[in-house]
């Protein structure tokens, strides 16, 4: 850009005004400004200020601001065109700046939303799908959703806890019903056997102190019986598998002896012993015990002997004599079975004799005789009453038929009025 014509010391931005109210000094003062666009008081490319309608001569020198464009250095640089060139380059750069170089002019940038109106900073606002109006604000929706979910989860937890309690209660009721059906004392929960509790068994708690040793000895006898039944089954199985002359029928009888022996020994003679240990001299529990335990003791001695043709499914003494010639292994199995059943027979004999002595010492024999005589008298009276009733019914039927033909007992001279 070329320097303006005129004197070098003359202000190039001074405006010539034909307005009679604007003095030459005011025109010179109004011509100053930055590098912005022209104003009412600026006529050149550098003009941006307004006219000073008050003459500078009317103001005191202290209130008159010095004109920066009257500086010699500024005037010299303006004359050289440096200021105008810099201002023009800056304006051209601002006009040629690309919108994408300015983040606030980016059309694709996310436009903040205030209420229902979107105010983009630059470019055109992006199109947005029309959303249905909601009665509740967004924060109320989030709060309502979270509260409903928490309430639903809490309700689920309460229902699960209630279902768990109901299941436990139902299991307790079923166990109680089973215990009542089995006659468990006091409805206590089963604790025996430990692998699968089915019965309630506690000698120290339920048995009388003076009979606990006998009941424990009877429990040991039952354990020996279970071991003997299994050992006998193993010995017979080995004899059948070794082709020693034992057949499948012997194995079948041994299996039945195992299953029935274990179950009946617990439910019959040991339970009767356990109940007899809970009473001092009750007749019925002791009579039941003596009956079942006598059979058990006899079975122990019978198994030890294993009489031929009757005990072919038992590995006793006679079976051992037959098994040793067939093989030492078969003979050893029979010896083990004989040892177990012999020990069981000795323990059972001790328990049976001790219980009988204690029952007799507690007056159980006299109580049994009294109850026996009472039962006999009741039976005789019941049979006598039944015979009399039968005779009465039979005689009454015959007498009714003969009364019709009998003569009248009224005197002959009597006559009815």
């Amino acid at each position: 850009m070329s320097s303006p014509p005129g004197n070098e010391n003359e202000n190039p931005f001074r405006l010539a005004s034909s307005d009679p109210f604007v003095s030459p000094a005011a025109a010179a003062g109004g011509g100053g400004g930055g590098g912005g666009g022209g104003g009412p008081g600026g006529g050149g490319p550098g003009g941006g200020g307004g006219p000073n309608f008050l003459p500078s001569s009317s103001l005191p020198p202290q209130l008159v601001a010095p004109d920066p464009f009257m500086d010699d250095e500024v005037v010299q640089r303006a004359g050289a065109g440096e200021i105008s060139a810099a201002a023009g380059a800056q304006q051209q750069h601002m006009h040629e700046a690309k919108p994408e170089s300015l983040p606030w002019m980016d059309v694709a940038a996310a436009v903040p939303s205030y209420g229902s109106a979107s105010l983009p900073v630059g470019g055109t606002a992006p199109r947005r799908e029309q959303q249905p109006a909601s009665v509740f604000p967004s924060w109320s929706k989030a709060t309502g959703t979270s509260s409903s979910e928490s309430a639903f989860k809490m309700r689920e937890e309460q229902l699960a806890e209630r279902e768990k309690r109901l299941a436990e209660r139902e299991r307790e009721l079923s166990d109680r019903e089973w215990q009542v059906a089995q006659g468990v004392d006091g409805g206590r929960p089963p604790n025996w056997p430990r692998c699968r509790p089915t019965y309630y068994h506690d000698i120290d708690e339920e048995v009388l102190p003076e009979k606990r040793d006998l009941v424990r000895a009877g429990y040991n006898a039952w354990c020996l019986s279970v071991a003997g039944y299994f050992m006998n089954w193993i010995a017979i199985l080995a004899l059948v598998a070794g082709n020693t002359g034992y057949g499948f029928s012997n194995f079948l009888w041994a299996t039945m002896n195992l299953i029935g022996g274990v179950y009946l020994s617990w439910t019959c003679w040991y339970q009767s012993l356990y109940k007899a240990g809970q009473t001092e001299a009750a007749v019925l529990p002791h009579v039941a015990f003596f009956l079942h335990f006598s059979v058990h003791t006899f079975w122990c001695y019978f198994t030890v002997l294993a009489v031929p043709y009757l005990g072919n499914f038992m590995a006793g003494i006679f079976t051992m004599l037959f098994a040793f010639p067939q093989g030492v292994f078969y003979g050893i199995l029979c010896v083990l079975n004989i040892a177990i059943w012999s020990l069981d027979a000795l323990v059972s004999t001790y328990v049976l004799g001790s219980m009988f002595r204690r029952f007799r010492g507690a007056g159980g024999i006299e109580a049994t005789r009294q109850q026996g005589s009472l039962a006999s008298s009741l039976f005789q009276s019941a049979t006598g009453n039944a015979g009399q009733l039968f005779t009465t019914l039979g005689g009454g039927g015959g007498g009714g038929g003969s009364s019709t033909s009998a003569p009248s007992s009224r005197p002959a001279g009597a006559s009815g009025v």
Side-chain angles (χ1 to χ4, degrees):
M1 180 181 295
S2 61
S3 62
N7 190 4
E8 295 180 359
N9 296 327
E10 187 178 359
N11 189 357
F13 298 97
R14 183 173 300 175
L15 301 178
S17 175
S18 60
D19 194 345
F21 296 98
V22 179
S23 63
N52 189 1
F53 293 96
L54 294 177
S56 60
S57 59
S58 62
L59 297 174
Q62 295 83 1
L63 301 179
V64 177
D67 190 358
F69 293 98
M70 297 302 296
D71 189 16
D72 296 339
E73 184 179 356
V74 175
V75 172
Q76 183 177 1
R77 293 180 61 184
E82 296 179 4
I83 297 179
S84 300
Q90 184 178 2
Q91 292 182 359
Q92 183 177 1
H93 175 72
M94 293 178 61
H95 286 292
E96 293 178 358
K98 295 182 180 180
E100 53 269 20
S101 63
L102 301 177
W104 57 85
M105 299 295 292
D106 190 5
V107 180
V111 181
S113 176
Y114 304 93
S116 60
S118 300
L119 302 177
V121 178
T124 59
R127 295 183 179 180
R128 303 176 65 182
E129 296 181 0
Q130 188 69 20
Q131 299 292 337
S134 177
V135 179
F136 303 99
S138 59
W139 59 267
S140 64
K141 292 181 180 179
T143 306
T145 304
S146 61
S147 61
S148 61
E149 290 180 356
S150 61
F152 181 73
K153 291 181 179 179
M154 185 180 299
R155 182 63 176 172
E156 283 186 345
E157 293 177 357
Q158 293 177 356
L159 291 176
E161 185 67 21
R162 185 178 180 183
E163 185 178 358
K164 183 179 179 180
R165 291 198 301 267
L166 290 176
E168 293 178 355
R169 181 62 177 170
E170 184 178 359
R171 184 169 57 255
E172 291 177 359
L173 290 176
S174 61
D175 294 341
R176 184 68 178 271
E177 291 177 357
W178 183 89
Q179 293 166 11
V180 172
Q182 295 292 327
V184 179
D185 185 20
R188 297 185 179 96
N191 61 350
W192 189 93
R194 295 182 179 180
C195 58
R196 188 182 183 278
T198 307
Y199 299 94
Y200 182 79
H201 184 264
D202 193 346
I203 297 176
D204 295 333
E205 182 178 352
E206 294 188 318
V207 179
L208 297 177
E210 60 272 13
K211 292 185 177 180
R212 289 175 184 172
D213 54 344
L214 291 178
V215 175
R216 287 195 179 93
Y219 181 75
N220 295 330
W222 179 81
C223 294
L224 288 173
S225 300
V226 174
Y229 284 120
F230 275 99
M231 192 66 217
N232 180 77
W233 183 80
I234 293 173
I236 297 300
L237 176 62
L239 291 172
V240 172
N243 296 325
T244 59
Y246 278 77
F248 180 76
S249 60
N250 302 110
F251 174 75
L252 182 61
W253 280 104
T255 304
M256 295 173 62
N257 182 42
L258 169 64
I259 298 174
V262 172
Y263 177 76
L264 293 177
S265 62
W266 174 264
T267 58
C268 293
W269 64 263
Y270 181 73
Q271 289 296 324
S272 62
L273 172 63
Y274 195 82
K275 292 179 181 179
Q278 298 175 2
T279 61
E280 187 68 30
V283 175
L284 293 180
H286 284 82
V287 169
F289 162 72
F290 291 136
L291 178 62
H292 293 108
F293 207 77
S294 299
V295 174
H296 161 69
T297 306
F298 170 77
W299 190 260
C300 291
Y301 287 105
F302 184 76
T303 306
V304 171
L305 293 176
V307 180
Y309 301 104
L310 294 178
N312 288 335
F313 58 94
M314 299 177 183
I317 295 177
F318 288 97
T319 308
M320 179 190 65
L321 297 176
F322 171 79
F324 265 112
Q326 305 295 330
V328 179
F329 175 72
Y330 308 124
I332 292 176
L333 293 178
C334 293
V335 169
L336 292 176
N337 186 59
I338 293 171
I340 293 174
W341 282 104
S342 299
L343 184 60
D344 190 9
L346 294 177
V347 175
S348 299
T349 304
Y350 165 75
V351 172
L352 183 61
S354 300
M355 185 64 73
F356 180 77
R357 288 191 296 268
R358 294 191 182 186
F359 179 69
R360 183 179 58 183
I365 301 297
E366 298 296 332
T368 304
R369 289 175 180 176
Q370 292 177 3
Q371 291 190 7
S373 61
L374 179 61
S376 177
S377 62
L378 291 176
F379 178 76
Q380 291 177 1
S381 62
T383 54
N385 293 334
Q388 290 179 3
L389 180 61
F390 179 77
T391 304
T392 302
L393 292 177
S402 61
S403 63
T404 54
S405 59
S408 178
S409 60
R410 187 169 46 179
S415 60
V417 178

